[in-house]
Amino acid sequence: MAQSFTTQLLPSLSSKIGIIQLNNPASLNALTLEMIRSMTPTLHAWQTSGVRATLMVGTPYEKNGKSKPTFCAGGDVKAIYLAGISEDKALTADFFREEYQLNYQIATQPPHMPQVSIWDGVVMGGGVGLSVHGKYRVATENTLFAMPECKIGLIPDVGGTWWIPRLKLYNHWQNKSVVGGVGNYLALTGARLKADDLIYAGIATHYIKSNQLEEMKRALIDASKGDNTPKFGDCAASVLTSFHDDSIDLDASFLSQNRTDIDYAFGGNDSMEEIVASLESMGSDSEFGQSTLKTLKQMSPTSLKVTLEGLKRGSKVKHIGEALQMEYRMQQAFMREGSDFYEGVRAALVDKDGNPKWSPAKLEEVTEAIVESYFEELGDRELCLTGKKSSKL
């Protein structure tokens, strides 16, 4: 892969902090292939030099004459859609392959070189993949987090089948046969989370007020000075701890307030039909049950079933690389002509009528055979993460 130079990504060094600035504000810093091809060799160079930590931030966008913070609203799925309906479909494979390779690179970054991602504003989809696998994720009062892929006929990917089933929220449970429902809920509904939800679920590691971010960055840069050997340790930990605002009320978060219903509906059920039945059993007086049913009806039935199966399989793999390789097979199946991806993007981003015609249109019409077809191996087109095309982690 040749390095790409683009103004949509602004890498820089300040002392021994490598700063990655996502700079595509007109599209809420949506991730493009050019950005991926610029970021990948940049991070590799930093990982083999004296850089002590990486800091990932987003360029604010302008709205009504005012500057609004944003991190990254996801991958540029409209560009992928346009490639998929054209004769040159290379982007439908290239984008996901190189994006997942970058996700893997970030996830396996040396522990003495932590990544700090500033989730100030929107962080969705591909933006989650750039950051959630890093060691530190900082939420602010402006954070809006979601994995909304089922609404456009895809799956929550970029390593989602790895981290979503492993939420630390459930680590303290003694009964290992109990499966928590928050991860499934987030993946299937595309629920939009704020800072309190993210800290509650352990998705964000710190909460820092936005007016403290610049001071925190200066402190991080100062902390990076000095000995750059691995034994010197993590230069970001104490800085982030000193700026973390622990006054945030986690008990008031949406996830905390609705935890019982979320676990009831999404935690122990093996199929989408069972999840729907559990929600319906809450009755018409249940605001959570009724609103969640309404949300699920907007999603691609195929995406819902494939996502749930992917989360089950992802919970059993031993390494994030295995999850990414599985997700690549799944996404390449969604790139097939006539898949729900094209209808979902058309309805959301092209014609913008908000009325996708899913096929199959109902959950019961999505058979086990259809679901299984999204996990078929790709032969010599498998995702390569170790330099050998045939390798499987």
Side-chain angles (χ1 to χ4, degrees), residues 17 20 36 54 57 70 95 104 139 149 199 218 291 311 318-319 334 375:
I17 300 295
I20 292 285
I36 294 169
T54 51
V57 299
T70 189
F95 181 89
Y104 182 73
E149 287 83 357
I199 297 293
R218 290 192 294 270
S291 64
L311 292 171
K318 297 180 179 179
H319 195 275
F334 277 109
F375 296 87

Side-chain angles (χ1 to χ4, degrees), residues 163-173 180-183 186 196-203 250 253 255-256 259 262-263:
W163 71 264
I164 291 174
R166 291 171 174 80
L167 289 178
K168 294 179 180 179
L169 193 62
Y170 298 96
N171 280 0
H172 66 282
W173 286 11
V182 170
L186 301 182
D196 52 359
D197 295 305
L198 295 170
I199 297 293
Y200 173 80
I203 301 171
L250 303 186
S253 69
L255 293 180
S256 177
R259 174 74 175 273
I262 290 172
D263 283 340

Side-chain angles (χ1 to χ4, degrees), residues 86-369:
S86 71
E87 292 187 6
D88 183 6
K89 303 182 187 300
L91 186 65
T92 62
D94 292 347
F95 181 89
F96 292 110
R97 181 180 63 253
E98 296 181 34
E99 181 185 29
Y100 293 0
Q101 289 169 338
L102 176 58
N103 298 152
Y104 182 73
Q105 182 180 1
I106 291 170
T108 56
Q109 190 159 291
H112 63 273
M113 182 184 157
Q115 176 172 301
V116 180
S117 299
I118 307 300
W119 285 350
D120 193 28
V122 173
V123 51
M124 295 183 181
V128 175
L130 291 177
S131 51
V132 77
H133 305 298
K135 190 172 184 179
Y136 301 119
R137 290 87 60 190
V138 177
T140 76
E141 73 277 11
N142 301 314
T143 303
L144 183 63
F145 177 106
M147 295 291 285
E149 287 83 357
C150 287
K151 196 170 184 178
I152 57 168
L154 282 178
I155 58 143
D157 60 337
V158 293
T161 60
W162 171 259
W163 71 264
I164 291 174
R166 291 171 174 80
L167 289 178
K168 294 179 180 179
L169 193 62
Y170 298 96
N171 280 0
H172 66 282
W173 286 11
Q174 297 298 315
N175 184 357
K176 298 302 182 183
S177 66
V178 176
V179 179
V182 170
N184 287 346
Y185 170 72
L186 301 182
L188 297 169
T189 66
R192 297 190 170 198
L193 306 183
K194 296 183 179 180
D196 52 359
D197 295 305
L198 295 170
I199 297 293
Y200 173 80
I203 301 171
T205 59
H206 297 82
Y207 174 67
I208 300 176
K209 298 281 184 64
S210 60
N211 61 10
Q212 294 288 304
L213 291 176
E214 288 303 318
E215 186 178 349
M216 184 274 291
K217 292 175 190 175
R218 290 192 294 270
L220 183 61
I221 291 166
D222 288 341
S224 73
K225 298 173 182 177
D227 190 349
N228 63 6
T229 60
K231 66 181 180 181
F232 193 74
D234 182 339
C235 71
S238 61
V239 172
L240 294 173
T241 298
S242 68
F243 281 90
H244 174 67
D245 185 348
D246 59 9
S247 67
I248 188 169
D249 185 359
L250 303 186
D251 291 337
S253 69
F254 177 86
L255 293 180
S256 177
Q257 292 287 311
N258 293 278
R259 174 74 175 273
T260 300
D261 286 343
I262 290 172
D263 283 340
Y264 172 74
F266 292 87
N269 290 315
D270 197 51
S271 70
M272 281 305 308
E273 287 85 353
E274 290 173 345
I275 289 173
V276 169
S278 293
L279 290 167
E280 290 174 340
S281 73
M282 294 179 184
S284 58
D285 292 336
S286 169
E287 182 179 350
F288 174 83
Q290 292 302 304
S291 64
T292 305
L293 283 169
K294 182 178 179 181
T295 296
L296 290 176
K297 288 177 182 179
Q298 299 172 12
M299 307 299 177
S300 157
T302 300
S303 290
L304 290 174
K305 285 201 168 182
V306 172
T307 293
L308 187 59
E309 180 63 24
L311 292 171
K312 293 178 192 175
R313 298 190 187 196
S315 70
K316 298 174 183 177
V317 302
K318 297 180 179 179
H319 195 275
I320 187 175
E322 293 181 66
L324 288 166
Q325 288 175 322
M326 177 183 70
E327 290 174 11
Y328 186 70
R329 297 176 196 129
M330 297 161 75
Q331 292 294 44
Q332 288 309 286
F334 277 109
M335 295 300 104
R336 295 183 296 221
E337 183 178 355
S339 87
D340 275 355
F341 166 71
Y342 297 102
E343 180 61 11
V345 175
R346 178 207 64 77
L349 301 174
V350 180
D351 296 338
K352 300 181 180 180
D353 57 28
N355 188 30
K357 306 298 183 185
W358 305 124
S359 179
K362 298 179 180 179
L363 284 172
E364 56 266 31
E365 296 172 351
V366 183
T367 65
E368 290 184 10

Side-chain angles (χ1 to χ4, degrees), residues 354-384:
N355 188 30
K357 306 298 183 185
W358 305 124
S359 179
K362 298 179 180 179
L363 284 172
E364 56 266 31
E365 296 172 351
V366 183
T367 65
E368 290 184 10
I370 291 175
V371 172
E372 189 62 34
S373 73
Y374 284 80
F375 296 87
E376 293 175 356
E377 294 192 3
L378 301 172
D380 61 4
R381 295 188 296 116
E382 288 280 357
L383 177 66
C384 176

